[in-house]
Amino acid sequence: MSTLDSIDAILFSLSRAFTSPFAVFVQIQGCTICLLLALGWLLAEYVRNREVKRIKNSIKAGNSLAFLYQDINELEHSRQVKLPRVSVVMPLKGFGEHNLHNWRSQITSLYGGPLEFLFVVESTEDPAYHAVSRLLSMYQDHVEAKVVVAGLSTTCSQKIHNQLIGVEKMHKDTKYVLFLDDDVRLHPGTIGALTTEMEKNPEIFIQTGYPLDLPSGTLGSYCIYEYHMPCSMGFATGGRTFFLWGGCMMMHADDFRQDRYGVVSGLRDGGYSDDMTLASLAGAHKRLITSPPVAVFPHPLASDLSFGRYWNYLRKQTFVLESYISKVNWIMNKALFAVHCYLSWGFVAPYVMAIIHITSALRIYIKGYHQLEDTTSASGGMMLVITLAICTFIELLSMWNLTRREVQLCNMLSPEAPRLSLATYNWGLVFVAMLVDNFLYPISAFRSHFSQSINWSGIRYHLKDGKIFKIERRKDMGPTKTDLGGKHLYGKKGAPQKASFLSSLGRNLAHWRQPKKFDV
C-alpha cells in the first residue's frame, strides 16, 4: 500500500468516526453555540437600536442636542448649576498613537456641572507624564485638571494603586468618581448620561460601559475584536448587569472615603484586577451594577498590533480568573474557567471535523471511489458541514448587525467626530480570528493557572491565594509597548510634537472641534 493510500485510509476512517453519535453530538453542540451567540448579539442589537430610535425621534421632535440629553430642558442654566461634582480618575501608562485623541475626548466633555480630571502616572519618567502635561497646558484656562504622580505600588497592581491615589486627591465635594482607561474615547454627553442615571437611582453601586473595537487590519486586532464581542452581550442590557469593565466605572465617591463594602481594602490589599474585584464585592453585598445603552465607546486598536501582542493580552485576560477575594469568588472564577474552556474547544472541534469531511468527500470525488460505506459517511458528513456553515453564517451576520448598530450609535453620540464605518472590517479575518481565539483561550487559561504569575507592562505580579504577594520590576523583563494601544512604556517617546495640538478641541459646543485626521 502506498503512502497516499494509507493517508486515504486514515482520512476515510476519521470521516466515518466523525459521523458516529458522539461526533454528531459535538457538531450539533458547535452549531448550538453559534446560534446562541447569534441570539445574544440579536438581543444586544435590539437594545442599542432602541437607543438609536430614541435619539432620532428626539431630533425629529426638535431636540437637536438629543445626543446630550433626552429632554432639552435639562440644558437650562437652573438645572445645570445643580449638577453634582464629578472627579474623573485616569490611571496612565505609556504613550501611543491614539492617546491624544482619547484624552481630548475626555477633557472636552460637555458635562455642565463641576468636573475635575486627575491623570495619574507612576512617575515623571513615564512617557504619558510629558504628553498629558503638554496637553493640559493647552487647556489650563478651560479645564480643571492635573497630573498626579502616584509612585510605585507595593501591595496591588500599579493600575489599582494609581486609581486609589487619584481617589485620595479628588475634590472634597466630589459626589461621583469616574474611572476611565486612557484608551477610552468618550462621547460629548457620556459623563452627563452616567451622572443622570446615578441621580435617578441612588441604589446604583457602579455604572459601566464597554468598548467597540476598531480592528487595524492585523489578525491580532481581529482576535481582540472577536474576544470582546461575546462579552458585549452582557453590557448591552440597557440596565442591570452582572458584568463590569474597568475601562469605564462610575461610583459614589463616599464609598471610597468610607471604605464602604471594603472597596478600598479589597483593591489595595493584594488586588490584581479592578473590575473583577469590584464585581465580586457587588455580588457579595448584592449591590447594583448597570450599563446604560449609550455607554459604548469607540476603541481604535494599534495599527501595528501583532499576533504576539494579542497573545500577551489574552494571557492577562485569562490570568484575571486566578485572582479572587473570597471563597465564593474563587468558585465563580473556576466555574467561568471550566465553562469558557469547554465552550471554546467545543466551538472549534466541529470545524476540525468539517475539514476532514470536506477533504474526504473531495478524495472520493477525485478518485471516483464507489465503496458504499465511504460514500455514505461522506454524504452524512457533508450534511453536517452544510448545517455548520449555515449556523456560522447566521452567527457572523448577527455579529455584523450588532457592530453596525453600535457604529451607528457611536456616530450619533459624537456627531462632531469623523464617521466610523464598517467598510474596513474584513469578515473573512473575523471568522479566522474566531477559530484562533477560541483554540488559544484554553491554552492560555491553563498556562495562567499553573504559572500564577504574569508580566503586565514590564511588571511581574505573583499571586498567592488569589492576591498579589510579590511584585518584580525590571525594564529588561518586559515589553517596550503595551498590547492593544501600542503605547511606548519607557523613555521620552511620549512627548508629543507641538504641531499635534493645532486641532485642539473647544470647551463648549459652539467651538467643538476634532482632529482633522481621524487616527483610527
Side-chain angles (χ1 to χ4, degrees), residues 29 51 81 87 160 165 169 193 225 241 297 319 333 358 361 364 370 379 389 391-392 424 431 438-439 471 478-479 517:
Q29 176 184 258
E51 190 64 18
V81 295
S87 292
I160 289 176
I165 293 297
K169 302 295 183 181
Y225 164 75
T241 182
F297 313 108
F319 188 76
N333 284 0
I358 293 172
I364 290 174
H370 298 292
S379 176
C391 293
T392 301
T424 59
F431 173 68
N438 282 285
F439 175 75
I471 301 175
K517 182 178 179 181

Side-chain angles (χ1 to χ4, degrees), residues 245-434:
W245 179 53
C248 175
M249 302 185 298
M250 177 173 276
M251 302 180 65
H252 295 271
D254 282 344
D255 287 348
F256 286 88
R257 293 189 181 105
Q258 303 170 20
D259 193 16
R260 205 173 280 156
Y261 315 114
V263 293
V264 174
S265 54
L267 291 168
R268 180 192 59 213
D269 302 334
Y272 168 74
S273 169
D274 54 336
D275 47 16
M276 291 292 284
T277 300
L278 291 172
S280 63
L281 288 172
H285 296 277
K286 295 180 173 56
R287 307 308 301 165
L288 178 63
I289 301 175
T290 65
S291 182
V294 295
V296 55
F297 313 108
H299 181 216
L301 299 172
S303 57
D304 61 346
L305 202 160
S306 64
F307 192 80
R309 297 229 301 268
Y310 150 71
W311 170 251
N312 290 337
Y313 176 77
L314 183 63
R315 283 274 291 113
K316 288 200 283 271
Q317 295 300 299
T318 56
F319 188 76
V320 165
L321 295 179
E322 300 303 315
S323 64
Y324 54 90
I325 62 171
S326 66
K327 185 68 174 179
V328 173
N329 189 206
W330 179 83
I331 293 172
M332 291 295 294
N333 284 0
K334 294 308 173 187
L336 283 172
F337 175 95
V339 170
H340 201 153
C341 289
Y342 176 80
L343 292 177
S344 289
W345 276 353
F347 176 83
V348 172
Y351 293 97
V352 176
M353 296 179 179
I355 292 173
I356 298 297
H357 287 313
I358 293 172
T359 307
S360 176
L362 286 175
R363 293 297 296 170
I364 290 174
Y365 175 77
I366 292 171
K367 287 213 163 189
Y369 290 148
H370 298 292
Q371 189 173 336
L372 181 61
E373 187 177 6
D374 288 337
T375 55
T376 301
S377 64
S379 176
M382 288 307 298
M383 286 300 297
L384 293 171
V385 170
I386 293 172
T387 303
L388 180 62
I390 293 172
C391 293
T392 301
F393 175 78
I394 294 173
E395 179 191 17
L396 286 171
L397 181 63
S398 181
M399 184 190 293
W400 169 84
N401 191 41
L402 174 58
T403 306
R404 177 180 65 91
R405 192 64 66 199
E406 290 186 337
V407 163
Q408 183 183 14
L409 180 57
C410 286
N411 285 334
M412 297 183 75
L413 292 172
S414 293
E416 81 299 329
R419 314 300 284 171
L420 304 179
S421 172
L422 284 179
T424 59
Y425 281 68
N426 184 326
W427 294 96
L429 271 180
V430 170
F431 173 68
V432 173
M434 289 166 55

Side-chain angles (χ1 to χ4, degrees), residues 199-215:
E199 291 287 281
K200 285 181 181 178
N201 186 1
E203 295 300 313
I204 294 176
F205 179 50
I206 308 175
Q207 270 200 103
T208 188
Y210 205 63
L212 167 62
D213 289 327
L214 305 173

Side-chain angles (χ1 to χ4, degrees), residues 103-176:
W103 295 340
R104 287 193 187 100
S105 74
Q106 292 164 356
I107 65 175
T108 54
S109 168
L110 297 184
Y111 179 65
L115 184 63
E116 71 170 340
F117 296 87
L118 301 168
F119 293 86
V120 190
V121 296
E122 175 186 301
S123 70
T124 56
E125 295 180 2
D126 192 314
Y129 175 81
H130 303 286
V132 76
S133 296
R134 184 80 64 85
L135 176 65
L136 296 186
S137 69
M138 303 294 292
Y139 287 89
Q140 59 185 350
D141 296 329
H142 307 286
V143 178
E144 184 181 343
K146 60 183 176 181
V147 183
V148 178
V149 179
L152 302 180
S153 64
T154 57
T155 62
C156 58
S157 70
Q158 187 65 46
K159 178 185 178 182
I160 289 176
H161 176 71
N162 288 11
Q163 289 172 324
L164 294 179
I165 293 297
V167 166
E168 290 179 6
K169 302 295 183 181
M170 68 183 175
H171 196 280
K172 62 182 179 62
D173 295 329
T174 290
K175 187 174 183 180
Y176 302 115

